[in-house]
Amino acid sequence: QVQLVDSGGGLVQPGGSLRLSCVYAGITSDYSAIGWFRQAPGKEREGISCIRTSDGSTYYPDSVQGRFTISRGDAKNTVYLQMNNLKPEDTAIYYCVVLRGLGMCRSTGRDIDYWGQGTQVTVSA
C-alpha cells in the first residue's frame, strides 16, 4: 500500500523560504516519478515540481522555475521541496504525489492515484 506523508508548510513572509518534506512507502515500479502539486482557493491543481526516480530528471513550470528545487534525501524514501523567494501567489495546499510518468506533472492531477494529506503554505506580510 502506498503511503505519502507530507509536511513542512507554514506561514512565511514574501521573499522567505520553506522546505517541504515527503516520506513515502510502498511505491511499486509502476510509479516512476515523485513530486508536488498544489491547489490554491478557486484554482485548479497544478504540478509544480517533480522528479524521475531513475535518473533525477526534473520538471518545473515557469511559475516556480528558478525558485523551487525538488530533491531526494539520502534516505531514498524522502523527497524535499525547497521553496525560495516565495510570493503571495504561492499560497496553496501542497500535496506530495507519485506519478506513473514525469509528464503527468504537467497535468491537473486528475489521473494521479496517490496523494499525501497536504500541507498548507501561506505567503503573507
Side-chain angles (χ1 to χ4, degrees):
Q1 182 179 357
V2 175
Q3 294 183 322
L4 302 168
V5 179
D6 42 41
S7 62
L11 173 64
V12 64
Q13 292 186 341
S17 298
L18 281 175
R19 189 176 80 158
L20 306 184
S21 300
C22 174
V23 178
Y24 57 89
I27 295 181
T28 69
S29 58
D30 291 336
Y31 302 95
S32 61
I34 298 172
W36 295 88
F37 273 61
R38 70 184 180 188
Q39 186 164 26
K43 294 188 176 181
E44 279 193 321
R45 292 177 297 193
E46 62 171 333
I48 49 94
S49 297
C50 298
I51 186 167
R52 183 185 292 135
T53 54
S54 62
D55 63 5
S57 296
T58 56
Y59 165 79
Y60 305 96
D62 290 344
S63 57
V64 307
Q65 180 74 46
R67 300 189 298 121
F68 289 12
T69 303
I70 188 170
S71 63
R72 298 185 69 188
D74 291 336
K76 295 300 183 182
N77 64 335
T78 305
V79 170
Y80 300 106
L81 180 63
Q82 179 67 43
M83 305 186 294
N84 298 328
N85 190 23
L86 283 160
K87 304 176 180 181
E89 52 264 40
D90 294 317
T91 295
I93 299 175
Y94 285 67
Y95 299 90
C96 181
V97 298
V98 290
L99 310 170
R100 294 183 181 272
L102 187 61
M104 291 182 69
C105 203
R106 294 178 173 85
S107 74
T108 59
R110 183 181 60 184
D111 296 324
I112 291 177
D113 298 326
Y114 296 102
W115 298 75
Q117 80 278 10
T119 185
Q120 176 72 48
V121 172
T122 302
V123 185
S124 175

